[in-house]
């Protein structure tokens, strides 16, 4: 299969990379598409995968597929997972109306169920409404992932969840991986009860690291990290409607930990001794980014709860296109130089 700038995959020397997968609810199907395309490149192999929320789901399912049968099996497992998520949501009240379906709009902004739920979260907590604390994704994860296999094989996993008591992020690794860890990483506090792990309550990892980059740099052999981001960092114009304001607040809050960590990395590379210790680790780091700005700028917060299979397929196809563009533009740079200029972030501080 042809890859970057006319080179064939068979001609490329193998490159070991890490993946950093951002969370974003149903928008995680875009990341599925990116991974689906990257897995077709035989010259890429995977050392570590860091993920948060939907990014954590993608990370674990991909790692399971790689451990079970390699890249092709990982593609199969990812599709199986997202199809199961769509099937589990068939009875969900969060569905598009006839007008949205007719006009091809991917939004729940006009869904009575979504509007009611959005108002209800300001009046009631999940402990009032979801008294049993159930989450339909639990059964999907149990069916789709062999967690015992992940503890023994596959890429290194780093899944972030936020400790409610301390406000700090906790990074879970392969041997600690369970359905509860993934549900904690994706636990929106207005919709689900906190997930208890080792006696502590946990919420969505996006509040603390979305995703967490540091363990990839410190604990993995790869010197290249491919970041797959979902939430737009910049959005033109000033939000004016209540929905637009809520959407932008969501994007800013879930981008903030990642931006802070990248700025920290840029500062470390400049001030630390590049020859030894922490400075040497960060100095060798090369970061690349696959972004979905075009499609994500068209989508709002409500569509992160839209679990329709056609929506997942649309996002998957957009992700594949973005990955294809990334490989053609920057593929030859992987293993050679960074293509994301994190140093520019220092000037914005």
């Amino acid at each position: 299969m042809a890859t970057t700038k006319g080179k064939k995959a068979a001609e490329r020397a193998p490159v070991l990379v890490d993946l950093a997968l951002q969370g974003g609810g149903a928008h995680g199907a875009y990341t599925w598409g990116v991974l689906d395309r990257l897995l077709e490149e035989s010259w890429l192999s995977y050392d570590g995968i860091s993920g948060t929320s939907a990014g954590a789901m993608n990370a674990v399912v991909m790692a399971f597929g790689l451990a079970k049968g390699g890249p092709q099996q990982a593609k199969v497992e990812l599709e199986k997972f997202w199809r199961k998520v769509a099937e589990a949501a068939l009875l969900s009240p969060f569905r598009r109306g006839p007008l949205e379906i007719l006009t091809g709009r991917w939004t729940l902004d006009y869904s009575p169920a979504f509007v009611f739920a959005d108002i209800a979260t300001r009046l009631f907590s999940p402990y009032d409404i979801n008294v049993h604390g159930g989450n339909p994704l639990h059964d999907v994860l149990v069916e789709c992932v062999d967690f015992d296999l992940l503890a023994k094989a596959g890429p290194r996993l780093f899944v972030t969840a936020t400790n409610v008591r301390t406000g700090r992020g906790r990074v879970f690794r392969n041997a600690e991986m369970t359905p509860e860890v993934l549900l904690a990483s994706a636990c929106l506090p207005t919709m689900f009860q906190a997930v208890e792990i080792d006696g502590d309550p946990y919420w969505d990892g996006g509040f603390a690291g979305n995703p967490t980059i540091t363990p990839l740099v410190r604990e993995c052999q790869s010197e290249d990290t491919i970041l797959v981001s979902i939430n737009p960092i910049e959005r033109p114009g000033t939000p004016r409607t209540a929905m637009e304001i809520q959407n932008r607040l969501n994007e800013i809050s879930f981008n903030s930990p990642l931006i802070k960590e990248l700025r920290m990395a840029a500062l470390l590379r400049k001030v630390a001794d590049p020859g030894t210790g922490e400075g040497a680790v960060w100095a060798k780091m090369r970061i690349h980014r696959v972004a979905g700005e075009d499609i994500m700028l068209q989508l709002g917060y409500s569509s992160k709860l839209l679990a329709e299979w056609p929506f997942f397929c649309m996002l998957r196809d957009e992700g594949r296109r973005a990955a294809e563009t990334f490989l053609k533009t920057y593929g030859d740079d992987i293993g050679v130089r960074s293509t994301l200029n994190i140093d520019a972030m220092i000037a914005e501080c």
Side-chain angles (χ1 to χ4, degrees):
M1 178 178 294
T3 181
T4 61
K5 300 179 183 178
K7 284 187 178 181
K8 295 182 182 300
E11 300 173 357
R12 290 293 306 265
V15 180
L16 189 64
V17 301
D18 299 323
L19 296 174
L21 311 180
Q22 197 173 48
H27 294 182
Y30 169 87
T31 301
W32 162 32
V34 173
L35 300 178
D36 191 67
R37 178 62 187 88
L38 293 180
L39 285 164
E40 294 172 359
E41 296 296 321
S42 59
W43 55 277
L44 287 174
S45 57
Y46 304 95
D47 189 7
I49 312 177
S50 177
T52 297
S53 193
M57 307 280 181
N58 279 315
V60 167
V61 174
M62 176 179 170
F64 166 62
L66 288 171
K68 183 179 179 181
Q72 187 58 41
Q73 188 64 41
K75 287 166 63 71
V76 170
E77 299 299 334
L78 281 164
E79 178 171 353
K80 174 184 174 182
F81 170 76
W82 284 99
R83 190 178 291 275
K84 289 290 183 182
V85 172
E87 292 173 356
L90 285 175
L91 298 180
S92 169
F94 298 141
R95 314 290 293 183
R96 290 182 300 158
L99 183 60
E100 287 73 53
I101 295 175
L102 183 64
T103 57
R105 298 188 63 189
W106 304 106
T107 180
L108 292 172
D109 288 357
Y110 310 104
S111 163
F114 174 78
V115 173
F116 174 78
D118 190 48
I119 296 173
T121 58
R122 291 158 172 76
L123 302 173
F124 305 100
S125 86
Y127 296 86
D128 299 321
I129 301 173
N130 186 12
V131 293
H132 298 294
N135 188 324
L137 281 178
H138 182 276
D139 291 343
V140 173
L141 290 167
V142 170
E143 184 175 353
C144 291
V145 179
D146 181 346
F147 289 90
D148 291 333
L149 178 60
L150 283 179
K152 298 178 290 187
R156 304 179 192 185
L157 289 167
F158 307 97
V159 169
T160 302
T162 303
N163 187 307
V164 180
R165 182 177 56 83
T166 66
R168 299 173 182 170
R170 175 178 170 182
V171 178
F172 296 85
R173 291 160 175 80
N174 294 58
E176 304 167 294
M177 213 58 61
T178 64
E180 287 70 30
V181 166
L182 293 177
L183 295 180
S185 183
C187 179
L188 293 174
T190 58
M191 295 186 64
F192 298 103
Q193 295 183 20
V195 179
E196 185 171 307
I197 301 174
D198 298 332
D200 273 329
Y202 286 89
W203 282 342
D204 195 298
F207 297 116
N210 193 19
T212 304
I213 303 292
T214 302
L216 294 176
V217 178
R218 290 179 173 172
E219 301 179 33
C220 294
Q221 295 180 354
S222 170
E223 297 176 358
D224 287 77
T225 296
I226 300 175
L227 167 65
V228 183
S229 59
I230 291 178
N231 300 304
I233 294 176
E234 295 186 9
R235 184 177 284 271
T238 302
R240 298 189 180 277
T241 69
M243 196 66 71
E244 289 173 346
I245 293 170
Q246 182 65 33
N247 178 57
R248 190 55 185 150
L249 282 172
N250 178 271
E251 290 172 347
I252 292 172
S253 63
F254 281 105
N255 274 330
S256 180
L258 173 63
I259 293 173
K260 288 180 179 178
E261 194 170 12
L262 291 176
R263 283 177 174 166
M264 177 201 72
L267 285 168
L268 279 173
R269 295 206 314 190
K270 283 191 174 296
V271 304
D273 181 355
T276 59
E278 189 79 356
V281 174
W282 288 96
K284 293 189 295 182
M285 178 184 65
R286 296 184 289 264
I287 292 189
H288 317 274
R289 178 173 177 247
V290 182
E293 299 288 348
D294 291 342
I295 183 61
M296 294 307 169
L297 285 173
Q298 302 173 35
L299 300 174
Y301 166 74
S302 69
S303 63
K304 291 183 177 182
L305 301 178
L306 181 60
E308 297 178 14
W309 179 244
F311 183 49
F312 289 166
C313 290
M314 183 277 292
L315 287 172
R316 175 202 61 199
D317 294 343
E318 290 291 336
R320 282 188 58 87
R321 276 191 283 271
E324 182 70 32
T325 299
F326 167 78
L327 287 167
K328 287 181 178 178
T329 307
Y330 300 116
D332 287 346
D333 296 313
I334 300 175
V336 178
R337 61 183 67 85
S338 288
T339 57
L340 178 64
N341 183 13
I342 63 173
D343 293 331
M345 296 182 173
I346 300 177
E348 300 173 3
C349 294

